Amino acid sequence: MQIRLDDLSGPEVAAFLEEHIQDMRSVSPPESRHALDLEALKAPSIRFWTMWQDDLLIGCGALKTLSHDHVELKSMRIRASHRGLGFATELLHFLLDQARWQGAERISLETGSMPFFASARALYRRHGFIDCAPFGAYKPDPNSVFMTRLVAKAQRTA
């Protein structure tokens, strides 16, 4: 398994992200869709990584800089066939390390409140994220759960 900084130019990445966007469209109402498309992920404030097993793209995740000490976790996804095998935990640890190395003191995220997102919320809570108020440009939304944690106190858990 390898995680690498990605320039979002590969066709595998485009297809993987399109599948992510389609999943979000299928479970979230239009006003509550916050997943970024391929072009939006190319913004200068975002760093994007992909996770590979041999030549198979199995995951991705991004960090968006909100301020000098606050980043947002974006577009974290694991291929359906690889969920429940520890890849999400490995990718999350990697992204927490990247946030720390970037100098962030806090990492926050938005995810859905629907049952579809229950396993994601459980993963984040297992790794120290707690519910919080909307941050950045987000507004209160019954379809969203906002979570945050300190990076400086990040500890790996099983």
Side-chain angles (χ1 to χ4, degrees), residues 22-43:
Q22 290 304 321
D23 275 354
M24 298 306 100
R25 286 184 182 146
S26 74
V27 296
S28 300
E31 69 276 9
S32 299
R33 291 183 199 141
H34 304 292
L36 300 178
D37 65 16
L38 184 69
E39 288 307 311
L41 286 166
K42 293 179 180 179

Side-chain angles (χ1 to χ4, degrees), residues 61-74:
L63 294 176
K64 178 180 180 182
T65 301
L66 301 176
S67 70
H68 74 281
D69 63 352
H70 190 190
V71 298
E72 179 180 4
L73 178 64
K74 296 292 294 180

Side-chain angles (χ1 to χ4, degrees), residues 8-30:
L8 296 133
S9 64
E12 310 97 326
V13 175
F16 194 76
L17 287 171
E18 182 56 29
E19 183 180 305
H20 178 60
I21 296 294
Q22 290 304 321
D23 275 354
M24 298 306 100
R25 286 184 182 146
S26 74
V27 296
S28 300

Side-chain angles (χ1 to χ4, degrees), residues 11-116:
E12 310 97 326
V13 175
F16 194 76
L17 287 171
E18 182 56 29
E19 183 180 305
H20 178 60
I21 296 294
Q22 290 304 321
D23 275 354
M24 298 306 100
R25 286 184 182 146
S26 74
V27 296
S28 300
E31 69 276 9
S32 299
R33 291 183 199 141
H34 304 292
L36 300 178
D37 65 16
L38 184 69
E39 288 307 311
L41 286 166
K42 293 179 180 179
S45 62
I46 297 176
R47 294 177 69 207
F48 181 85
W49 292 268
T50 49
M51 177 183 255
W52 299 83
Q53 188 173 52
D54 300 318
D55 292 332
L56 180 65
L57 174 59
I58 61 169
C60 66
L63 294 176
K64 178 180 180 182
T65 301
L66 301 176
S67 70
H68 74 281
D69 63 352
H70 190 190
V71 298
E72 179 180 4
L73 178 64
K74 296 292 294 180
S75 301
M76 189 165 146
R77 179 179 181 83
I78 299 296
R79 181 177 297 279
S81 61
H82 286 69
R83 293 179 189 153
L85 302 174
F87 291 106
T89 295
E90 188 66 28
L91 182 57
L92 182 58
H93 287 167
F94 176 86
L95 293 167
L96 288 168
D97 287 344
Q98 291 298 314
R100 183 179 302 108
W101 293 330
Q102 182 176 315
E105 295 176 12
R106 176 167 300 283
I107 184 169
S108 301
L109 62 91
E110 179 278 335
T111 191
S113 63
M114 294 73 96
F116 178 87

